[in-house]
Amino acid sequence: MSSRFFRDLLERTLATYAVTLLGLLTAAGVDLTDLGTLRAAAIAAIPAGLTVLKGAVATLIGDPTSAALLPTPRSAVDSGTDPYGA
């Protein structure tokens, strides 16, 4: 697995965690002194962890250098270019 894969997976995981946490805090009301906030932070780690698992599985299904499930476009494979422009 390449450093590109790990950067991709890290970005997806952090984004999932942040969006989930913000959604939970918004739904519950933000009170940083409440134990509910800590609970929300812990619960938000579940989808983030599942994102890591999905990224690992994606290397077996899609492009092995990306955490995406989408396959590498065939034209890019044939030409030897990076389909993602990196």
Side-chain angles (χ1 to χ4, degrees):
M1 289 184 215
S2 67
S3 65
R4 180 175 175 261
F5 168 80
F6 286 112
R7 286 192 319 263
D8 184 23
L9 185 58
L10 179 63
E11 176 188 344
R12 291 167 190 259
T13 303
L14 292 176
T16 299
Y17 181 78
V19 168
T20 304
L21 181 60
L22 288 173
L24 289 170
L25 291 177
T26 301
V30 179
D31 180 6
L32 297 177
T33 62
D34 185 28
L35 285 178
T37 302
L38 293 175
R39 176 182 264 171
I43 291 171
I46 295 170
L50 292 172
T51 299
V52 171
L53 180 61
K54 179 257 178 196
V57 170
T59 62
L60 303 173
I61 296 171
D63 179 0
T65 64
S66 170
L69 286 170
L70 300 173
T72 302
R74 190 78 209 144
S75 61
V77 172
D78 293 340
S79 68
T81 61
D82 184 352
Y84 304 103

